Amino acid sequence: MNGAPVFENTYDVAVVGAGPAGLAAGATAAKAGLTTIVLDENPAPGGQIYRAITTTPVRREEILGEDYWDGQKLIQEFQSSGAQLVSGATVWSISRALEINVSQGGQTHLINARWIILATGAQERPFPIPGWTLPGVMTAGGAQTLLKASGLVPSGRVILAGTGPLLWLLAAQILRAGGDITAILDTTPLENYVRALRQLPGFLLSPYFAKGLRLLTEVRRKTRVIKGVTKLEAQGKDKLAEVLFATGSQPATRMAADLLLLHQGVVPNVNLAMSIGIDHRWDELQLCWVPVLDQYGNSSVPGIAIAGDGAGISGALAAAERGRLAAYAAVKALKPEALSHLPAEQILLQALAKAQAGRAFLDTLYQPPKHFRIPEKNETLVCRCEEVTAGQIREMVALGCEGPNQLKSFLRCGMGPCQGRLCGLTATEMIAAERNVSPQQVGYYRLRPPIKPIQLAEIAAMPQSETAVKAVVRG
Amino acid sequence: MFRRLPETSAATVTVSIDGADVQVRAGDTVAAALLAAGVHPYRASTVSGAPRAPYCMMGVCFECLVTVDGVGNRQGCLIPVREGMRIETQHGKREAHR
Amino acid sequence: MIPSFKEYDIAVVGGGLVGAAIGYGLARLGQRVALLDDSDAAIRASRANFALVWVQSKGFGYTPYAHWTVRSSNSWADFSALLREETGLDTAFQRPGGFHLALSEEELERRAAYIDQLQSQSPDFPYRVEILDRSKVASMLPEIGPDVVGGSYCELDGHCNSLRLYRVLLKATAKYGGKYLASHRVEAITYKNRAFRLSTSAGEVHAGKVVLAAGNANMRLAPMVGLEAPMRPERGQIMVTERVMPFLRHPVVTIRQTDEGTVMIGDSKEEGTTPDGLNLSISAVMASRAIRMFPLLGRLNVVRMWAGVRVMTADGFPIYDQSETCPGAFVACCHSGVTLAANHALTLAPMIAAGRLDAEVVGAFSARRFHVSKAA
């Protein structure tokens, strides 16, 4: 893209995020004839699952696998739809009046929209083990990004640890690419297998079953897998040197390591939605906050819908279907005569249901255990940015602190630049556990714009009304 | 920690990392380039000075903060490298004029 | 079913900085104290403030307030040392002197006239504010921008880490057996048999005495115990940057660098009684003025913005009162919960423990003054 992007003053539909949901939503809205802009913070479209799909140096298709390359269809659909994509654009504020402040090229632009679809996707669930802040400890997703976008593959003494489909997918991709994996430490609780049995029949019919089984078999053939890991620590002086782990009630073992890749599922990235005041609820199965939405993805704020994993973790195929449904609702509201260009609502709903089949099994099997969501050792950092420990949080709760916002005031937990993304779930669950109440009751940090840090100079350059001046400049 | 797949393109750009000129792969983000170059320590935390390095590579964790072309606290994982870019690692709090 | 309740010597209604300072002061005197606080998501001035321990401008139109403020400012260092001894934690109190900066000749003239009028209020006005020209300001604040024409300076101005103060007060109160009861929002208070029954969202609490320190909510609560607290809440916005190496030693009334290195930028005075929603136009004005005052701020990233609701009495000066119809009930509200924390803990709390506010010290702050001026 040459030159600065042109932002119109108003669009029919503005989509935030160019992952599968955002691409599908943008393409659908544009094809119906609505003026559509998709704003994405990354240098290129694809979100996380299809990261670097237009630029990846990993051309041997068998390395990243067919599920990845499927994304090309979505990119093509988007590129031929007429929707405008702006990359490197960070949306930092959205008002209930559907005004969007987006920072691009060091400048903030104000965009009005008649409809907004948030497709900001998911992030890795925090995995607060002792030593998780050491250099050499990264998320599985981070390693996957390095592979997809840069052709960098883990090498040396590499340990993968955690639970969830992404862990196995990454393991397969690394091994296919010729990378090194010393061991996979599987933290899936053994009792989850029993609990998931009930969901098995539904899962057997889903597309994930055969794929998942093949993946597991492939990885198990090529590398050492240790199941039932109940204890995990990263150790080292100024970088990772060893991983300490134990299974069941066995004594702990140490394994030398250069790289530890952690993963225990993904959770919706809620900061933008919550900063607008969109209602959320705690999901007891997925153990995270999910927005309260209707069947189209419309939220509690009129004119704002959420699509993709940000609506609830369901994977890439479901994300695209949710994107199409959200756009369908936008077209229905803004230009109903164009609905004839789109698949029927029933078709879209059925496609979504099909893509979500088997989800309950995966969610149950891979539900991360409590001792890895809530650190047991008091010295373990919960808030990485402000270096707040589990022990400090327990101490404040014992003093009577009942919620994450008071906690934030007392300990600065959640006040750093990541704005609670890596500590919020842990803080809420810790308080809930200490008080013996539900996370729903405890609540979450009160989030406000900017949902990403923004230069003061950019804020200063925004319009200043006369009343605003009067409110500030006084005696 | 990482090695480059052989099929990865060899096109490079020259950037400076803490004052020294380095060839990095065109298309890498600043964070990826620093990791590939084995830069350690990548960063020192602003609270205790503890060593830190990129964790999530997707703009969520803010561990990848670097100074780019004299502007501090940029998320390295979101910025593609560019010919002539000045990259400086950060140790502790941001400096007042940078 | 036998109703269960908890019983205390004193129930302090409001678990913010005013309540916490008074509660600490009472607890260390051996009183069994309960601090009744609202829910986690409640509107709290104590989470939104600018953390100044400020003297300059205080008491404009009411000299007793200037005296009360200076007293607290002068007690703050000892107060801070005492709290550090009690808890091992430092409130980071500093009193390097503070500024009010002018970005035009007209602003400077207005400020000079204000200060002149302020200091002429009484022959023994308790503090001095100097008007400084640009070069003098620049010698003390080397980073100021070219638009700064001068400012007013008071050597008694300072700041602290107010969130740490809040945490420290709770910790110290707990050390003396005081109880912090969150989610105990007080709905009603009745006075019966020389004691108080408070019905809260989490059950009943009984206490021999009650101190209303609930900020703007005092307006609703005060009449329940034969007191009054006319309030006019006022909204304001603040923003804060990432951590920066120290560059600003002296707090400016709208810009200060915290002990953590973050830079706080304020503030506005708006219509509105909730902290919901952010007016970004106001943020823009605050940001551009801040950059004009200190150009280096421009490139810093703002990490958080918030709006708060100031606790404002009808005339802006504190209200301290004790009830005649319900002896044992007190009310305490003020705008400057940080500045006055030392007074609240070390001067006001002992009066409350003894059962009587000393008219010589705080008589000027009784709500009776609102009727006097109405009659006049």
Side-chain angles (χ1 to χ4, degrees), chain A residues 101 386 395 399 402-403 405-406 409-410 412 415 419 448 453-457 459 463-465 471 474, chain C residues 40 44 47 163 166-167 174 180 183 243 260 267 269 280-281 284 288 298-305:
Chain A
N101 282 294
E386 295 290 327
E395 186 193 333
L399 266 183
E402 291 199 346
N405 291 291
Q406 282 292 69
S409 322
F410 295 135
R412 293 190 59 85
M415 279 191 178
Q419 298 168 333
R448 293 179 215 81
I454 289 292
Q455 275 201 331
L456 191 67
I459 296 171
Q464 302 179 19
S465 70
R474 38 191 223 280
Chain C
D40 185 62
R44 292 166 182 280
R47 288 208 295 243
L163 293 181
Y166 192 8
R167 171 184 170 196
Y180 172 71
S183 304
R243 291 167 184 253
E260 282 122 3
D267 62 351
K269 198 163 152 171
L280 294 178
S281 191
S288 65
R299 55 177 61 215
L300 299 184
N301 291 304
V302 169
V303 172
R304 276 190 338 279
M305 294 190 210

Side-chain angles (χ1 to χ4, degrees), chain A residues 123-164:
Chain A
Q123 55 165 86
E124 296 249 2
R125 176 188 294 281
F127 204 145
I129 58 169
W132 69 308
T133 54
L134 281 170
V137 181
M138 295 179 67
T139 60
Q144 204 181 44
T145 289
L146 286 167
L147 177 61
K148 289 172 179 170
S150 299
L152 286 166
V153 78
S155 102
R157 300 166 303 182
V158 178
I159 295 178
L160 272 59
T163 182

Side-chain angles (χ1 to χ4, degrees), chain A residues 250-261:
Chain A
Q250 298 296 311
T253 320
R254 279 197 169 74
M255 213 182 253
D258 306 303
L259 186 61
L260 172 63
L261 300 174

Side-chain angles (χ1 to χ4, degrees), chain B residues 26-92:
Chain B
D28 273 2
T29 59
V30 171
L34 292 175
L35 285 174
V39 170
H40 173 75
Y42 183 109
R43 187 174 79 91
S45 86
T46 60
V47 177
S48 70
R52 295 291 181 96
Y55 179 75
C56 78
M57 294 302 292
M58 60 176 280
V60 162
C61 72
F62 288 81
E63 298 284 6
C64 64
L65 300 178
V66 286
T67 298
V68 174
D69 293 335
V71 178
N73 277 357
R74 309 283 319 270
Q75 288 182 282
C77 71
L78 294 175
I79 302 173
V81 295
R82 213 199 54 250
E83 178 71 33
M85 185 180 269
R86 275 172 13 249
I87 301 166
E88 292 161 279
T89 55
Q90 300 184 175
H91 301 276

Side-chain angles (χ1 to χ4, degrees), chain B residues 46-47 69-74 91-98, chain C residues 143 242-247 259-262 296-297 299-301:
Chain B
T46 60
V47 177
D69 293 335
V71 178
N73 277 357
R74 309 283 319 270
H91 301 276
K93 301 187 199 345
R94 180 175 186 163
E95 291 167 67
H97 289 277
R98 284 151 48 74
Chain C
E143 305 293 350
E242 61 216 344
R243 291 167 184 253
V244 185
M245 297 284 284
F247 73 91
D259 64 311
E260 282 122 3
T262 59
L296 66 84
L297 294 177
R299 55 177 61 215
L300 299 184
N301 291 304

